[in-house]
Amino acid sequence: RSDTAKKVSFFWRKVDKAEKYELQVSEYNNFSNIRYEKILGDEQTHKTFLPRGRYFWRLRMLANGEVSDWSQAYSFSVGQ
């Protein structure tokens, strides 16, 4: 992690029957370039470090071998 990276926390509501969640972060709202991606357990929070900038994040649920549609994209800024 670089010295300019800042801690970022993501929170979401639990989805019934969710076994895992997939989180994506991008500098673009069309997610053409994924900056960060992680498969998570059934928790409803995740923390990571990102450099300064403006980002978008989205989430989807994984359960019983099924994958949901992506959530809407949410924007946020780091260190600005």
Side-chain angles (χ1 to χ4, degrees), residues 28-78:
Y28 306 100
N29 64 359
N30 66 0
F31 292 83
S32 59
N33 183 31
I34 304 301
R35 177 75 166 185
Y36 180 82
E37 185 171 37
K38 183 93 174 166
I39 301 288
L40 308 164
D42 65 352
E43 65 268 15
Q44 288 88 57
T45 182
H46 181 69
K47 295 178 183 171
T48 191
F49 290 86
L50 291 168
R52 296 175 188 263
R54 181 181 162 109
Y55 298 96
F56 297 88
W57 72 283
R58 65 184 181 178
L59 193 75
R60 66 181 174 181
M61 176 194 76
L62 295 84
N64 298 318
E66 302 283 325
V67 178
S68 72
D69 291 337
W70 287 107
S71 68
Q72 72 181 65
Y74 299 94
S75 64
F76 67 100
S77 294
V78 176

